[in-house]
């Protein structure tokens, strides 16, 4: 089948596997590359547990800015097309490496989005582990009522991924009949190896990315377009 004839709605079990490039057209800054956050900030001072243990206020000042920036960005048509498919197909979901909550803001139901790296809009108590949804920026107070600091419920450098999220993603990917990878450079592990599970079980695989990636060979269908353009056709 040619790339132009592919339609997500012709499949029954669909996984959208998304990365930072999915949110690029909304203006959410990337971490690496031109304009990337890690060009301006040293992650060892802002995005690891050791930095948080040393100076939680400094780490929160940084994350308050990230939360404000993400909330000032608006989901684009590509996010909305995915949200529409999720509402129409009972067996479709998103597995995302993004922490920006854009899929949900574009109409994806919470229980159909697996966030492999957490969400910057969830707080986790650093002591008792309680989790709360929260979009305030700045966050006030920065402590849970048990007295310990909240931390963003995201995967920092050196953190383990949540095994329940990884397992749910692996199960969905292994049994889907279509996997659409969008805007990921496929260099962050273990997320990058998950799409191979779909290939092993005979699913159709599509890569949407203006640039080739180290995993492009895995995808028989490569669409070298921006997410919003490719998704308008794929999700029609
Ligand atoms: P990445 O930054 O390594 O790669 C982004 C990819 O998107 C590149 O291959 C690029 O060619 C592609 N791209 C750029 N514009 C695009 C567009 N309009 N349409 C489609 N593709 C486009 O991103 P990654 O693979 O997700 O890995 C980075 C890590 O950083 C991930 O772990 C992610 O969690 C995190 N991150 C998240 C956000 C966010 O939540 N929005 C932002 C930056 C980084």
């Amino acid at each position: 089948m040619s790339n132009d004839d592919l339609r997500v709605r012709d499949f029954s079990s669909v996984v959208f596997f998304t990365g930072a490039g999915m949110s690029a057209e909304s203006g959410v800054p990337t971490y690496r590359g031109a304009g990337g956050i890690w060009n301006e900030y040293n992650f060892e001072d802002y995005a690891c547990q050791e930095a948080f243990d040393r100076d939680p206020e400094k780490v929160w000042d940084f994350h308050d800015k990230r939360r404000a920036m993400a909330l000032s960005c608006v989901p684009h048509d590509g996010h909305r097309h995915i949200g529409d498919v999720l509402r129409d197909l009972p067996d479709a979901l998103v597995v995302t490496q993004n922490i920006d909550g854009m899929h949900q803001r574009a109409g994806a139901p919470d229980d159909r989005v697996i966030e492999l790296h957490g969400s910057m809009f969830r707080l986790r108590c650093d002591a008792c582990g309680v989790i709360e949804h929260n979009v305030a920026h700045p966050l006030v107070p920065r402590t849970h009522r048990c007295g310990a600091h909240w931390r963003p419920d995201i995967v920092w450098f050196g953190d383990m991924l949540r095994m329940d999220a990884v397992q749910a993603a692996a199960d969905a990917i292994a049994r889907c009949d279509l996997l659409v990878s969008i805007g990921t450079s496929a260099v962050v592990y273990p997320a990058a190896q998950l799409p191979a599970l779909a290939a092993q079980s005979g699913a159709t695989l599509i890569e949407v990315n203006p640039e080739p990636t180290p995993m492009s060979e895995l995808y028989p269908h490569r669409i070298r377009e921006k997410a919003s353009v490719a998704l308008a056709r794929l999700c029609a």
Side-chain angles (χ1 to χ4, degrees):
M1 190 184 289
S2 87
N3 288 350
D4 288 346
D5 295 331
L6 287 164
R7 293 289 177 274
V8 166
R9 290 168 202 275
D10 291 337
F11 295 82
S12 58
S13 180
V14 177
V15 172
F16 295 98
F17 182 76
T18 67
M22 179 73 218
S23 294
E25 291 167 80
S26 292
V28 181
T30 59
Y31 285 178
R32 302 176 183 82
I37 288 165
W38 302 139
N39 298 336
E40 194 183 337
Y41 294 91
N42 183 354
F43 77 82
E44 289 162 341
D45 292 331
Y46 298 99
C48 61
Q49 186 69 39
E50 292 77 9
F52 189 68
D53 293 343
R54 242 183 353 255
D55 192 343
E57 302 304 329
K58 177 175 167 177
V59 170
W60 260 117
D61 288 345
F62 170 79
H63 285 285
D64 275 340
K65 283 189 203 149
R66 304 274 73 76
R67 281 153 65 98
M69 166 59 83
L71 286 174
S72 73
C73 297
V74 178
H76 60 75
D77 284 345
H79 291 109
R80 277 186 282 278
H81 292 308
I82 291 176
D84 290 347
V85 169
L86 260 52
R87 286 192 301 272
D88 294 346
L89 294 186
D91 194 7
L93 55 76
V94 171
V95 174
T96 188
Q97 299 165 78
N98 295 343
I99 58 173
D100 58 21
M102 287 293 206
H103 287 293
Q104 294 91 328
R105 285 174 61 200
D110 266 342
D111 62 350
R112 308 277 288 284
V113 181
I114 298 174
E115 294 169 312
L116 288 172
H117 296 162
S119 168
M120 66 171 105
F121 301 112
R122 275 198 314 269
L123 308 174
R124 188 170 82 228
C125 175
D126 201 34
C128 63
V130 165
I131 289 179
E132 269 183 21
H133 179 79
N134 181 295
V135 296
H137 54 87
L139 175 69
V140 183
R142 288 170 168 175
T143 48
H144 178 231
R145 60 176 173 279
C146 77
H149 268 93
W150 289 116
R151 56 160 281 178
D153 187 27
I154 59 178
V155 177
W156 277 331
F157 289 88
D159 288 348
M160 300 288 287
L161 273 70
R162 278 181 50 171
M163 278 321 294
D164 55 345
V166 175
Q167 192 59 56
D171 290 348
I173 290 171
R175 66 175 178 72
C176 72
D177 55 10
L178 173 67
L179 180 131
V180 189
S181 168
I182 308 149
T184 173
S185 62
V187 293
V188 177
Y189 281 80
Q193 69 202 22
L194 287 171
L197 297 172
Q200 284 160 18
S201 59
T204 298
L205 278 84
I206 304 173
E207 178 181 65
V208 175
N209 195 318
E211 306 290 336
T213 75
M215 296 295 269
S216 290
E217 290 298 314
L218 186 69
Y219 296 85
H221 301 280
R222 299 165 206 157
I223 301 180
R224 299 277 167 247
E225 292 173 336
K226 290 183 172 180
S228 64
V229 176
L231 286 164
R233 191 174 59 251
L234 285 170
C235 299

